[in-house]
Amino acid sequence: MREKSAICIAGGGSTFTPGIVLMLVENQDRFPISKITLYDNNAERQDKLAEACAIMLKEKAPEIEFNWTTDPETAFTGIDFVMAHIRVGLYAMRELDEKIPLKYGVVGQETCGPGGMAYGMRSIGPVIEILDYMEKYSPNAWMLNYSNPAAIVAEATRRLRPGHRIINICDMPVGLETNMCSIIKDETGRELTRNDMEIRYYGLNHFGWWTQIQDKEGNDLMPILKKHISEMGYANNSPEFQHRDPSWVETYTKAKDVYALDPETVPNTYLKYYLYPDFVVEHSDPNYTRANEVMDGREKTVFGQAKAIVENGTSKGNEFAVGVHASFIVDLACALKFNTHERMLLIVPNEGAIENFDPTAMVEIPCLVGSNGPEPLKIGDIPTFQRGLMTEQVCVEKLVVEAWIEHSYQKMWQAITLSKTVPSGKVAKQILDELIEANKDFWPELK
Ligand code: NAD
Ligand code: G6P
Ligand code: MN
């Protein structure tokens, strides 16, 4: 019998919380749980989902103790893992992150460009606050963080809380690998799962490339994938459900043009924002962005289901959806808890893994994960194209963190100007000044 873990989900009111809770229930055989506590700083939002989760858990896993709270001591005492997915400023601020840059003809996106930097300036303080609660109440616990923007959060925690037990993760490669399996099925009829593939990948978060994708027997799957991607990107007949909205289908399709720039590798979809920003802006509606799509879609669906469960007094007929990142999170928790040495793609300090790249950069690369944490695999040298793009982007991320630490207007202006998505210092300043006004309740005061 495996030892049980106590879990805190930080950002209990997240649209992803019910899916994570359900996923934990479904994985009791390999990752048994004694207790789940939801923690949020917005009691009203969290209550709505927690009451539904309580009903669901009573039906599916009554042996798991379940609580929810806004009190840090209650949330973080006696726990083994914090699964963190907070969104500082909620969708209202995401909407501004997307719409303010678009006013100036610049990409408006949750984690890329000026919007992602604005979100980073909001997220750093609260993620560190949670790490400090963990240090105080459960110093041996691991934080599995997927609060965005993960790249900036990772750099900030590297700088400000070195040595803390935080691992930053992303579900985009997981989602794309799931899609690759459906592409292989469409193209060849062969049924694979993500775990049947052995991959090599390097980059930054939301900024990377696969260099190898093969099956367990060592057969190269890249040629089939490259043929498909060169014709229609990642679009295919059965994409995983989390990325099925029209804007995601457009992003998946655009990977065709991202791939064309370097046919040696297979790209992360997020590169479209840096390599084709003009296309992205032309195809954006400045009055209705992804934040609106999510508020009208996922948020309404999840909170509607929760309401129905509470009204009906049962979760029967209202099953929550489990996202693509769910199994990945359990794999990671198992690797840490049971020392499995599973190979996983994580955001970790480079420290020489990519030889010709800044050793202090937070990079997304395969690692072996055991109870002492991740051990990165060696990548070696990367080509000039990727190194140039990554050098610029990692400096943007570092400048944002420096701006937050030093309360520096100058560094934030430099960060926005340096981004590949922004045409000039003039436009950067206009966007920055408007972002400062919009974020005055969240950012440190810049001088
Ligand atoms: P959401 O707004 O539905 O949920 C976020 C929750 O965090 C809210 O209930 C909010 O009140 C809470 N919160 C905000 N600040 C907090 C704080 N200081 N302390 C505690 N709780 C706080 O958002 P969502 O769309 O469900 O996304 C949640 C997060 O997960 C976002 O950061 C999103 O970008 C991230 N995400 C990351 C990945 C990845 O690949 N890393 C994948 C999916 C989602
Ligand atoms: C992907 C990324 C996440 C990001 C999410 C946005 O899964 O890996 O980091 O938060 O997309 O999805 P949404 O549906 O909120 O636009
Ligand atoms: Mn991500």
Side-chain angles (χ1 to χ4, degrees), residues 30 74 76 147 163 193 217 230 260 266 288 297 329 339 357 361 372 414:
R30 64 181 182 127
T74 313
F76 297 103
S147 309
T193 69
E217 291 74 49
S230 70
V266 166
Y288 193 86
I329 294 167
N339 202 28
F357 193 60
N372 294 325
Q414 289 175 350

Side-chain angles (χ1 to χ4, degrees), residues 110-111 146 148 150 169-173 205-206 270 347 364:
E110 182 195 25
T111 63
Y146 36 105
N148 267 320
I169 53 178
C170 175
D171 70 3
M172 196 71 252
N205 178 234
H206 290 184
Y270 274 97
I347 303 163
E364 198 165 276

Side-chain angles (χ1 to χ4, degrees), residues 386-399:
Q386 278 82 3
R387 187 163 53 89
L389 289 168
M390 283 167 58
T391 300
E392 180 180 78
Q393 178 60 18
V394 87
C395 289
V396 169
E397 291 160 5
K398 283 178 178 291
L399 280 166

Side-chain angles (χ1 to χ4, degrees), residues 1 18 22 42 84 89 99 199 230 280 295 297 315 323 327:
M1 183 66 186
L22 184 55
N42 181 330
K99 290 184 177 174
I199 64 108
S230 70
V280 170
M295 287 186 270
S315 68
S327 67

